Amino acid sequence: MYSTKTPTLRIDEADLKCKNGCGFYGNAEWEGYCSKCYREYLQKQRSQTECNVYGQVYDLASSNKNNVQISAHQKYEEKKVQQEKKYKLLNISFRKPVTKVQGYQELLYELTKDNSDLEKVKADNRDLIAMIAKTPVERDVRKCMHSFIIEILQNKDVKRIEELSEITQNFYQVFAKRLENSAKYADITPEVKEKLLDYVERYAMTLLYRILFCPPFTNDEEKDLAIQKRIRQLNWVSGKNLECRIHETSSEVRELVYTSITDLLNMDSAKAPQEKLSCVIYCCRNIFLMLQQSVGGPASADEFLPALIFIVLKANPARLKSNINFITRFCNASRLMTGEGGYYFTNLCCAVSFIENLTAESLNMDEKDFNAYMSGERVPANTWESALMICESLHLMCEDITLLDEMKAKTTEIMTEALNLKEKMLQFQEEMKSEVNTVLDRTPLLITHSQRLPTNLDCEDIESYQLPPPIIPQVCPTTINNSTPQNDMRTSLIEDCITPSPTFDFPSFIGDDSFDVSKAEDETSLISLDTQSDFDTQQDKSTNELLVSTHLNLPCSTESEQEDYHGFTVQGSNIPTIPCSTGDLSLNTTEMDCENYTSYFHNT
Amino acid sequence: MYLNDDYFVIMANRGTAQRPNGSTQGKICQFKLVLLGESAVGKSSLVLRFVKGQFHEYQESTIGAAFLTQTVCLDDTTVKFEIWDTAGQERYHSLAPMYYRGAQAAIVVYDITNQDTFVRAQTWVKELQRQASPSIVIALAGNKADLSNKRVVEFDEAQTYADENGLLFMETSAKTAMNVNDIFLAIAKKLPKNEQSGSASTSGQGRRLVDTEGQKAATGNCCK
């Protein structure tokens, strides 16, 4: 997380302030004073020691007697690593101050000696160096580079930074042309030539970094402090103000935000201009990755620039203007005009320019609000949300709140859906009711005329006497021997078997068996009784068959009705013919049936 | 931390592609092209269609549409476009000169269904004619031509304007790919490909210092 990285990348603001306490920022180079206080301080020192100091006030390497000057030089060294890892300060060797008298040769020695960054550049290009080692190429490259470095060292105090930049750019071009045209480089592949060009630039710039980066004779430092202050003032600006689409609540996006901030901060610790440039490229690539997640497609410049501005605001990189100026002045210009690096660097310059010229209008804000925020009078409620510098638990809280909000929204949605459904159901019910009512109104259920005469069970209706006897529930014997086919047992068995039949009604069956047509039409509950009467009439005819079928059902008295019925069906289907003259048959058995019938009533 | 070797290889190829420019085999010219226009007129869609042939069905590999390159073959020359997208929002308008500085071509995009974007496009054209390099090739693109039923800016109106100002003009549709390749090809044809005014090293070197100075001036102006 970012919070853990902070100490290595930043130093306390108190350390940056002028030692005199005048409120301005101090500079290690000026012994921790601001420029004004340091000038006064120097003048005091000078009058005290009455020492004849070489050069101007800004030339720090002026006297080797003065203790103060020596410590000033130590501070000068300090500046180089300022805002890098602080512990490095303790390891700085106490070096002999360089004087004009000593000249550039000594300065060159100074710069080359113990320069870990230079060693790193060499190590990175080990293969290239090995390839050209001990060839005329190496000698020529060395010669060119040496003459260039000497030129810069000679001119560093007499020429303006723009002229130094021009010398550098000229050197790049001349060297590139030399690589192209000189016979010495004829047998080198274009690829290696390009690497060589890159190496020369890298090496020379790393070597001269101390001289050319944020030199004391420019106002780079003031600009750095100005932009730093400006960004600090703008710390309340959120992604919403910039209309940049960053999903701050997503942890992945936040991780990428941190990564891109770190990449941008790394720019200050890189030495060679192309290394600084590559930090910018990495930063921008991460921003694109982040935007891809937030936007859901390749991000365009419309989304990219606001996001970059946001990142610059949140990173507040150290010595931003110095770094930009250093890249602009000393990076091979062709790199800045074209290519991915050039594009991203242009965007960074645009972002910085935008921040410098930011007004209420450019944030679509009210002038009054803007001024209130800038002066610190008011703090927007969402600052902590967008600041991204807040602790992890707050992030989690923020995430949870968003989650809860989402869930709440979903619940409300479900509730409304449910209510809707309920309403619809009610409506449907109503509709159905009214529809049924209309249908009923339209076609009222009217019994126009009775199709059959009402049946009076008590009357002397002959048909009712033809009905079979009602079934009398009987206890089924638990064990039945196959070898005792007794008559009463048989009847009980039959009755047991047909018990369900009264409750079952099967008019079609009856129809199939070609009952009397008039009977079939009377589909009343009596039908089942009719069937039973049929059954009873058939008893004698199919006793054997019945026995077989009932025996099958016997062992288990608790068998379901269906199985019982099944037996009946089997039996029923075994009835070969139920002749049309059922009535005649039933007439033969009328007496018996009547007896059964009456006994049933007696029993009940 | 630092750029990997691949990047330098790319740079190297680019460099070598430039250097023998004109002197050997088929010419390879590299041009910087800026895209200008109000936001949401479809600048990036247009470029994505041209470079990747995509519209709304983006592949994983396409992470950004702000900086893209595409090569077009024209007779014996290979024209390599380096396309710089710009933020279209009004608030970033003042930053545009930093983008079109040193650009050899510009496409000003507007939306045919939105009159304001056409007005905006006209201010872009004016600004380019006044401030950009005098030899810059400017093309006007009326995008979203597939939405002709919602058309507000008439074809003839835009055509007349383009003719008056010496612009290339086409109505394009990133959605249907209509005229997308054509407009880039037309620009490629119009761009000077002789050694002096083409991109590449010879003239570039002369210009470089001027550019650096220019940038210094630009950044210098805006800090205070």
Side-chain angles (χ1 to χ4, degrees):
Chain A
M1 276 297 97
Y2 184 73
S3 49
T4 57
K5 288 171 190 165
T6 313
T8 63
L9 291 161
R10 305 194 154 214
I11 59 173
D12 236 16
E13 198 184 330
D15 293 344
L16 294 169
K17 295 268 188 189
C18 174
K19 249 167 50 178
N20 235 9
C22 64
F24 287 100
Y25 283 99
N27 189 324
E29 197 184 342
W30 300 323
E31 288 198 82
Y33 290 104
C34 72
S35 56
K36 276 191 174 173
C37 293
Y38 181 64
R39 211 172 296 172
E40 285 166 20
Y41 168 77
L42 258 194
Q43 268 160 8
K44 222 189 269 174
Q45 287 292 332
R46 229 179 278 174
S47 58
Q48 273 174 8
T49 54
E50 291 177 358
C51 171
N52 200 3
V53 183
Y54 296 104
Q56 314 98 314
V57 177
Y58 285 122
D59 189 6
L60 300 159
S62 42
S63 170
N64 52 0
K65 293 179 217 162
N66 199 322
N67 260 349
V68 178
Q69 295 290 47
I70 288 165
S71 82
H73 183 76
Q74 191 188 0
K75 293 277 182 171
Y76 175 73
E77 289 293 324
E78 202 175 304
K79 177 185 160 46
K80 199 187 75 166
V81 286
Q82 176 197 29
Q83 292 181 332
E84 284 175 47
K85 285 150 198 137
K86 255 185 154 181
Y87 63 83
K88 265 196 174 179
L89 293 175
L90 305 169
N91 301 334
I92 286 172
S93 53
F94 203 79
R95 281 182 204 157
K96 246 204 290 178
V98 185
T99 63
K100 273 247 146 133
V101 186
Q102 275 178 303
Y104 50 82
Q105 289 295 348
E106 279 79 3
L107 183 58
L108 179 61
Y109 176 72
E110 275 281 321
L111 291 170
T112 324
K113 207 184 95 186
D114 292 338
N115 193 333
S116 58
D117 296 311
L118 216 53
E119 294 305 318
K120 197 172 170 295
V121 173
K122 278 184 189 164
D124 287 345
N125 290 283
R126 214 178 299 117
D127 297 344
L128 186 71
I129 294 168
M131 194 194 281
I132 60 161
K134 286 169 190 154
T135 58
V137 174
E138 192 200 19
R139 231 170 300 140
D140 195 66
V141 169
R142 213 177 267 268
K143 203 182 82 190
C144 288
M145 205 147 61
H146 187 76
S147 67
F148 163 66
I149 289 166
I150 294 297
E151 193 184 354
I152 291 284
L153 289 179
Q154 277 174 331
N155 289 315
K156 78 179 177 70
D157 295 323
V158 291
K159 287 200 169 155
R160 288 180 302 125
I161 191 80
E162 284 79 17
E163 289 167 314
L164 293 179
S165 163
E166 205 166 315
I167 292 170
T168 313
Q169 297 294 342
N170 269 329
F171 165 68
Y172 292 150
Q173 281 168 29
V174 170
F175 186 69
K177 272 203 184 122
R178 195 184 176 89
L179 282 176
E180 208 54 62
N181 303 324
S182 171
K184 284 176 193 149
Y185 301 97
D187 48 354
I188 291 183
T189 61
E191 205 175 290
V192 176
K193 278 179 187 168
E194 201 63 34
K195 273 189 181 168
L196 213 54
L197 202 60
D198 179 71
Y199 170 68
V200 166
E201 185 183 341
R202 209 176 272 253
Y203 184 88
M205 282 305 124
T206 310
L207 186 73
L208 294 168
Y209 189 72
R210 243 170 65 189
I211 310 284
L212 298 176
F213 183 82
C214 186
F217 49 88
T218 63
N219 59 351
D220 286 0
E221 181 134 22
E222 289 161 39
K223 287 181 192 165
D224 283 343
L225 296 175
I227 186 92
Q228 198 155 28
K229 196 177 158 205
R230 176 89 178 157
I231 292 175
R232 225 172 270 160
Q233 268 186 324
L234 288 167
N235 75 331
W236 51 271
V237 175
S238 67
K240 283 185 200 89
N241 291 130
L242 292 165
E243 279 171 36
C244 79
R245 295 149 84 180
I246 297 177
H247 291 168
E248 286 162 23
T249 45
S250 150
S251 59
E252 267 173 273
V253 167
R254 227 171 41 229
E255 205 57 47
L256 282 167
V257 169
Y258 289 136
T259 319
S260 37
I261 286 176
T262 317
D263 285 333
L264 198 58
L265 290 174
N266 277 340
M267 182 173 72
D268 189 52
S269 51
K271 290 289 182 289
Q274 56 263 66
E275 282 166 14
K276 285 181 187 294
L277 200 58
S278 62
C279 291
V280 177
I281 294 171
Y282 283 124
C283 168
C284 293
R285 283 187 188 158
N286 280 320
I287 292 175
F288 272 114
L289 281 177
M290 174 186 84
L291 286 173
Q292 194 185 24
Q293 298 218 342
S294 305
V295 180
S300 70
D302 288 350
E303 287 115 26
F304 171 68
L305 187 60
L308 181 64
I309 292 169
F310 179 76
I311 294 293
V312 172
L313 280 177
K314 294 305 158 201
N316 197 356
R319 299 189 287 182
L320 182 58
K321 285 299 271 195
S322 295
N323 278 300
I324 287 180
N325 283 339
F326 182 69
I327 296 173
T328 315
R329 288 167 188 154
F330 300 107
C331 187
N332 196 336
S334 63
R335 239 192 275 280
L336 295 183
M337 290 309 296
T338 56
E340 209 183 2
Y343 180 72
Y344 292 150
F345 185 68
T346 306
N347 271 290
L348 181 65
C349 291
C350 284
V352 171
S353 167
F354 181 80
I355 289 167
E356 283 170 335
N357 300 306
L358 194 91
T359 58
E361 200 189 344
S362 44
L363 290 179
N364 288 341
M365 279 178 79
D366 198 41
E367 190 80 42
K368 236 169 47 193
D369 287 348
F370 181 78
N371 289 335
Y373 289 141
M374 283 303 274
S375 59
E377 257 173 61
R378 262 164 61 190
V379 178
N382 59 349
T383 305
W384 65 272
E385 201 181 283
S386 57
L388 289 156
M389 299 295 170
I390 53 174
C391 64
E392 195 53 23
S393 48
L394 274 178
H395 273 317
L396 281 175
M397 231 166 78
C398 189
E399 231 163 273
D400 289 348
I401 287 170
T402 331
L403 202 68
L404 281 172
D405 278 348
E406 275 168 26
M407 279 163 72
K408 199 176 160 188
K410 269 183 194 161
T411 321
T412 339
E413 205 178 310
I414 289 169
M415 283 310 287
T416 35
E417 290 276 308
L419 283 174
N420 272 348
L421 189 66
K422 198 175 162 188
E423 211 155 281
K424 265 185 196 164
M425 280 165 73
L426 285 173
Q427 206 181 332
F428 180 73
Q429 200 178 354
E430 285 297 312
E431 266 170 28
M432 282 312 284
K433 217 180 212 174
S434 64
E435 209 164 297
V436 167
N437 280 337
T438 47
V439 168
L440 282 178
D441 287 348
R442 199 171 57 222
T443 53
L445 188 63
L446 279 178
I447 301 163
T448 44
H449 69 278
S450 181
Q451 296 208 326
R452 49 175 281 241
L453 293 166
T455 319
N456 188 355
L457 288 175
D458 296 330
C459 77
E460 291 287 308
D461 184 9
I462 194 136
E463 269 193 41
S464 61
Y465 291 112
Q466 289 171 359
L467 292 174
I471 297 135
I472 299 146
Q474 279 180 336
V475 180
C476 199
T478 46
T479 49
I480 290 161
N481 210 329
N482 274 349
S483 58
T484 53
Q486 285 166 9
N487 211 8
D488 55 340
M489 176 67 100
R490 198 190 64 198
T491 46
S492 75
L493 283 176
I494 291 157
E495 267 160 10
D496 192 43
C497 163
I498 55 167
T499 307
S501 58
T503 56
F504 198 87
D505 104 24
F506 36 88
S508 59
F509 178 78
I510 296 160
D512 283 345
D513 280 315
S514 55
F515 263 69
D516 193 66
V517 183
S518 62
K519 262 192 186 175
E521 278 171 356
D522 289 345
E523 288 178 10
T524 58
S525 59
L526 289 172
I527 285 166
S528 53
L529 291 172
D530 287 343
T531 351
Q532 193 152 13
S533 79
D534 281 346
F535 181 77
D536 280 350
T537 54
Q538 298 297 326
Q539 264 181 30
D540 294 322
K541 283 183 182 175
S542 53
T543 313
N544 292 333
E545 288 158 25
L546 251 179
L547 271 174
V548 173
S549 61
T550 45
H551 272 308
L552 286 171
N553 295 325
L554 274 176
C556 182
S557 59
T558 54
E559 268 185 307
S560 70
E561 288 182 352
Q562 191 160 6
E563 260 180 273
D564 286 341
Y565 168 62
H566 179 76
F568 176 73
T569 317
V570 169
Q571 191 265 336
S573 60
N574 281 340
I575 296 168
T577 48
I578 297 180
C580 294
S581 54
T582 318
D584 299 334
L585 272 170
S586 61
L587 275 173
N588 296 338
T589 52
T590 308
E591 280 176 36
M592 195 182 84
D593 286 338
C594 282
E595 274 167 32
N596 282 343
Y597 189 62
T598 45
S599 66
Y600 172 74
F601 278 104
H602 282 299
N603 285 344
T604 51
Chain B
M1 187 60 207
Y2 304 115
L3 279 183
N4 51 22
D5 284 344
D6 291 348
Y7 179 72
F8 289 112
V9 172
I10 295 164
M11 289 296 290
N13 290 341
R14 197 174 286 158
T16 49
Q18 285 176 10
R19 214 156 285 117
N21 178 18
S23 54
T24 51
Q25 82 280 68
K27 280 191 286 187
I28 301 171
C29 296
Q30 188 175 326
F31 295 108
K32 174 175 156 185
L33 184 151
V34 282
L35 280 174
L36 299 166
E38 182 74 72
S39 57
V41 294
K43 294 191 294 289
S44 48
S45 307
L46 203 66
V47 183
L48 274 173
R49 175 58 95 177
F50 172 57
V51 175
K52 309 253 176 183
Q54 299 170 334
F55 185 81
H56 276 178
E57 67 273 347
Y58 309 118
Q59 288 148 15
E60 280 290 305
S61 58
T62 316
I63 63 155
F67 175 84
L68 291 163
T69 56
Q70 176 70 308
T71 311
V72 175
C73 286
L74 207 75
D75 307 327
D76 60 332
T77 5
T78 308
V79 175
K80 187 171 179 189
F81 281 116
E82 195 170 85
I83 304 161
W84 290 32
D85 191 9
T86 61
Q89 294 94 325
E90 179 66 47
R91 59 169 77 166
Y92 304 120
H93 189 125
S94 60
L95 306 170
M98 293 168 101
Y99 289 101
Y100 58 67
R101 186 165 40 85
Q104 286 93 359
I107 300 183
V108 181
V109 189
Y110 71 91
D111 176 357
I112 66 157
T113 66
N114 186 335
Q115 184 70 38
D116 292 346
T117 63
F118 185 56
V119 176
R120 220 23 228 294
Q122 293 177 2
T123 60
W124 280 120
V125 170
K126 252 182 232 149
E127 191 181 318
L128 282 172
Q129 285 169 338
R130 207 175 54 238
Q131 293 187 35
S133 106
S135 61
I136 192 167
V137 175
I138 307 172
L140 184 68
N143 199 26
K144 306 195 188 176
D146 51 294
L147 301 172
S148 55
N149 54 335
K150 290 187 196 157
R151 174 191 290 278
V152 178
V153 183
E154 288 307 319
F155 180 86
D156 293 338
E157 186 190 352
Q159 183 70 63
T160 318
Y161 173 77
D163 291 342
E164 281 167 4
N165 290 276
L167 317 173
L168 285 167
F169 171 66
M170 276 184 201
E171 281 199 347
T172 57
S173 167
K175 193 174 178 180
T176 64
M178 165 188 147
N179 277 344
V180 173
N181 288 345
D182 307 58
I183 197 162
F184 282 92
L185 264 177
I187 293 168
K189 274 182 196 148
K190 208 177 167 186
L191 279 165
K193 281 167 287 291
N194 50 331
E195 278 167 73
Q196 274 144 13
S197 49
S199 72
S201 41
T202 43
S203 65
Q205 280 170 358
R207 207 185 294 149
R208 259 176 218 164
L209 283 175
V210 181
D211 288 333
T212 351
E213 293 298 323
Q215 180 163 0
K216 227 171 282 157
T219 46
N221 284 343
C222 49
C223 356
K224 281 273 157 84

